[in-house]
Amino acid sequence: QVQLQESGPGLVKPSQTLSLTCTVSGGSITTSYYAWSWIRQPPGKGLEWMGVIAYDGSTYYSPSLKSRTSISRDTSKNQFSLQLSSVTPEDTAVYYCARSLTTAQAMGAKREYDYWGQGTQVTVSS
């Protein structure tokens, strides 16, 4: 059974960089052709896909967040991470990591994810 667990600070100050890590167990992040996404849900709003790192390390980002977002991985720890720079209160959200069977499924019009983390609340406030 694959499990994903988000971790990181719950409070970030405006203009700082938000950093979160997703630890994966029960499966390798390098197994073809899985793709590992970061998704967020601001209060009262829908889910927003932020970006993905594929099994081969390639990354793709939402155009609206691309200038502020970086996704990386540590294969020795079976983890992938999110960095979101220059945060504002509008970045307050529950942040999720999730797995898709392919990058296309992560990024396509009909996004599909088979495993999710439980989510972690991040608040941007001074």
Side-chain angles (χ1 to χ4, degrees), residues 28-36 52-60 73 75 102-103:
S28 173
I29 62 172
T30 62
T31 299
S32 304
Y33 297 95
Y34 294 128
W36 308 87
V52 64
I53 186 163
Y55 69 98
D56 60 357
S58 55
T59 55
Y60 305 90
R73 66 180 185 173
T75 57
T102 66
T103 301

Side-chain angles (χ1 to χ4, degrees), residues 37-40 48-52 60-63 65-66 69 71 82 84 95:
S37 290
W38 285 100
I39 300 156
R40 68 181 182 179
E48 178 183 21
W49 178 79
M50 302 180 69
V52 64
Y60 305 90
Y61 301 106
S62 167
L65 295 170
K66 185 176 182 179
T69 306
I71 298 176
L82 169 74
L84 182 67
Y95 285 76

Side-chain angles (χ1 to χ4, degrees), residues 3-35:
Q3 294 184 318
L4 293 82
Q5 178 67 58
E6 304 90 350
S7 60
L11 180 64
V12 182
K13 295 185 184 304
S15 80
Q16 292 187 342
T17 295
L18 179 162
S19 297
L20 296 174
T21 295
C22 182
T23 300
V24 179
S25 59
S28 173
I29 62 172
T30 62
T31 299
S32 304
Y33 297 95
Y34 294 128

